[in-house]
Amino acid sequence: AAMRGWQKTGLADANARLTVVYAKALAALPADQQVKLRGAQRRWLAFRSSDCDVFFGTQTGTIAGVQYGGCMIDRTEKRIENLQNLLRP
């Protein structure tokens, strides 16, 4: 249970950082690219859940939840990196 609690905190932290970086990336783009990023972000959020569900959604037990949460954190960290690339000159 402690592992899952830590993971929920880790995912909440990753999601919070994602929100900040997404907002900065959005603000840095011209209007036409903002529209594209908004659509891409919505699709990415759905993809993240679906992708993790493919790999870990059919398993049961405590470890399955831990693996699913780890997948969500991993995908979120990668998305943060991708969005940060939009902020580099």
Side-chain angles (χ1 to χ4, degrees):
M3 180 79 154
R4 291 186 79 163
W6 170 84
Q7 205 165 53
K8 283 182 183 177
T9 301
L11 183 56
D13 175 64
N15 280 332
R17 288 184 291 113
L18 176 65
T19 299
V20 169
V21 173
Y22 170 73
K24 287 179 182 178
L26 201 58
L29 293 173
D32 61 327
Q33 290 297 97
Q34 288 178 3
V35 171
K36 290 178 184 179
L37 179 57
R38 281 190 193 100
Q41 188 70 3
R42 279 192 299 274
R43 288 186 296 277
W44 178 83
L45 289 166
F47 164 79
R48 176 183 64 169
S49 296
S50 296
D51 196 44
C52 291
D53 198 41
V54 165
F55 292 101
F56 305 107
T58 60
Q59 300 174 14
T60 57
T62 304
I63 195 67
V66 169
Q67 289 173 324
Y68 181 85
C71 178
M72 293 286 284
I73 291 170
D74 181 62
R75 300 294 188 275
T76 304
E77 294 292 345
K78 286 184 173 76
R79 182 65 175 177
I80 290 168
E81 287 177 32
N82 292 147
L83 291 175
Q84 285 173 332
N85 287 334
L86 291 174
L87 299 172
R88 293 194 172 90

